[in-house]
Amino acid sequence: MTLKNKLGEDEPFTLWQKQIDYFVNNLYSHNRLIVLKARQKGFTLITALDSAFQCALQKDFHVIVLSKGELEAQNFIKKAEAVYRTLPESYQKRFGLEFKSEYIRCKQTGSSVISLPSTGGRSFTCNRLIVDEAAFVKKRHNNKIDLSELLSAAEPVVEKAAGQVILMSTADGKDYFYETFKKGIEGTGVYKPFFFSCFDDPTFTQKDRDAYESQHGEDLTNQEYPRTWREAFISSGSVYFDKKALLRYEEIQMDPVFRGHINEQDEVVDD
């Protein structure tokens, strides 16, 4: 298989080391996976290709993909098809995948990948649910539901089918996506966190980052090409206080020794 590089040239489709870690140690190991990533690092493509091949290999395996908008939903399918079409024709016939603008289907197995915009409510019956750019599933982004409402409706149905939920996104402030990722880091959540920094891309250099920052500013650079997961969240969204100071305080903060409230009987209650 081949894909287009930054210069528009065909090159062999190979995975970087951190992508291999995602593919081997995370994608198949966790039913709840949350991925915070630098922009344009191939995770949508990897997940799209894997979903397509799972459809060719498993009977009645169904994937629903929710993307930020209609164009992004179609691009999810197009990215997978572009690489799939570089396979020898004999392999394409063996896999038997049919690509349309909004779905991938395999008649041999009865499996499918359906890609939809996340701008409205959905009923979910699938073996794998992928929410692409999950941090941007918010009502202020022209969605009828936000990420927490979407998952409240989707997770029980997917769980009943012993299925998988994958959340992938760049950061968009300290929101539900942030809280879910942070709980994963702390070991208190159900989602396994996976972070891909800008420098996990071996072709990306400090010079590249500096060039982007000179054009777009420090905040957007930290959001789109973060070096740490904390930096991604603290540098995105609307923040009143100085972002560097907030990041420093977040790094050195101590966990409380006790958390609770005082009830109407003046008793201290642990909560």
Side-chain angles (χ1 to χ4, degrees), residues 187-228:
T188 60
V190 297
Y191 280 82
K192 169 69 175 179
F194 185 88
F195 174 61
F196 189 92
S197 80
C198 60
F199 294 129
D200 286 324
D201 172 358
T203 70
F204 191 84
T205 66
Q206 184 63 50
K207 185 177 179 181
D208 294 326
R209 199 175 191 279
D210 292 342
Y212 189 89
E213 184 174 341
S214 67
Q215 295 182 32
H216 302 284
E218 182 181 14
D219 285 349
L220 188 60
T221 301
N222 289 341
Q223 175 180 322
E224 303 288 88
Y225 298 101
R227 294 162 292 192
T228 69

Side-chain angles (χ1 to χ4, degrees), residues 88-150:
E89 188 173 342
S90 59
Y91 281 91
Q92 293 186 42
K93 288 182 178 179
R94 184 180 301 177
F95 286 119
L97 294 178
E98 176 188 0
F99 289 81
K100 295 295 182 181
S101 61
E102 70 279 4
Y103 68 81
I104 305 169
R105 182 171 61 186
C106 182
K107 292 182 179 180
Q108 300 169 6
T109 62
S111 301
S112 64
V113 178
I114 301 174
S115 188
L116 303 164
S118 61
T119 51
R122 293 284 184 270
S123 60
F124 306 93
T125 303
C126 58
N127 304 95
R128 174 183 285 178
L129 172 67
I130 302 167
V131 186
D132 196 19
E133 289 298 351
F136 296 87
V137 181
K138 298 173 181 172
K139 292 178 181 178
R140 65 180 175 87
H141 288 307
N142 297 319
N143 287 276
K144 295 180 181 178
I145 58 176
D146 59 26
L147 182 61
S148 62
E149 294 170 333
L150 186 153

Side-chain angles (χ1 to χ4, degrees), residues 251-271:
E251 290 173 344
I252 65 173
Q253 71 180 355
M254 298 173 62
D255 291 331
V257 295
F258 177 83
R259 191 187 301 272
H261 69 278
I262 300 175
N263 63 20
E264 294 179 355
Q265 288 75 42
D266 295 329
E267 298 170 330
V268 178
V269 180
D270 181 8
D271 61 9

Side-chain angles (χ1 to χ4, degrees), residues 5-191:
N5 61 21
K6 295 177 181 179
L7 300 176
E9 302 167 338
D10 289 326
E11 63 180 26
F13 181 74
T14 56
L15 297 178
W16 302 322
Q17 188 58 49
K18 195 66 179 283
Q19 291 174 329
I20 293 173
D21 180 29
Y22 167 75
F23 194 77
V24 175
N25 299 318
N26 290 271
L27 186 58
Y28 295 139
S29 303
H30 305 283
N31 282 339
R32 298 292 180 271
L33 184 60
I34 182 167
V35 180
L36 172 65
K37 59 188 179 66
R39 188 164 296 284
Q40 296 179 331
K41 298 304 177 184
F43 282 90
T44 300
L45 173 59
I46 294 170
T47 310
L49 277 173
D50 179 75
S51 296
F53 286 125
Q54 291 303 319
C55 284
L57 298 172
Q58 295 194 51
K59 185 177 177 60
D60 295 324
F61 184 83
H62 299 288
V63 181
I64 290 179
V65 184
L66 298 181
S67 299
K68 189 160 54 174
E70 186 173 350
L71 180 61
E72 288 82 2
Q74 293 177 355
N75 281 339
F76 186 94
I77 302 296
K78 288 180 180 178
K79 287 178 179 180
E81 182 178 14
V83 177
Y84 177 79
R85 294 304 181 197
T86 67
L87 284 170
E89 188 173 342
S90 59
Y91 281 91
Q92 293 186 42
K93 288 182 178 179
R94 184 180 301 177
F95 286 119
L97 294 178
E98 176 188 0
F99 289 81
K100 295 295 182 181
S101 61
E102 70 279 4
Y103 68 81
I104 305 169
R105 182 171 61 186
C106 182
K107 292 182 179 180
Q108 300 169 6
T109 62
S111 301
S112 64
V113 178
I114 301 174
S115 188
L116 303 164
S118 61
T119 51
R122 293 284 184 270
S123 60
F124 306 93
T125 303
C126 58
N127 304 95
R128 174 183 285 178
L129 172 67
I130 302 167
V131 186
D132 196 19
E133 289 298 351
F136 296 87
V137 181
K138 298 173 181 172
K139 292 178 181 178
R140 65 180 175 87
H141 288 307
N142 297 319
N143 287 276
K144 295 180 181 178
I145 58 176
D146 59 26
L147 182 61
S148 62
E149 294 170 333
L150 186 153
L151 293 178
S152 293
E155 285 177 328
V157 180
V158 178
E159 186 174 347
K160 189 174 181 180
Q164 183 183 42
V165 180
I166 303 172
L167 310 179
M168 298 189 296
S169 193
T170 52
D172 187 43
K174 292 194 169 183
D175 51 10
Y176 188 80
F177 182 85
Y178 161 76
E179 293 295 341
T180 304
F181 189 89
K182 186 168 180 282
K183 286 179 180 178
I185 292 289
E186 295 170 344
T188 60
V190 297
Y191 280 82

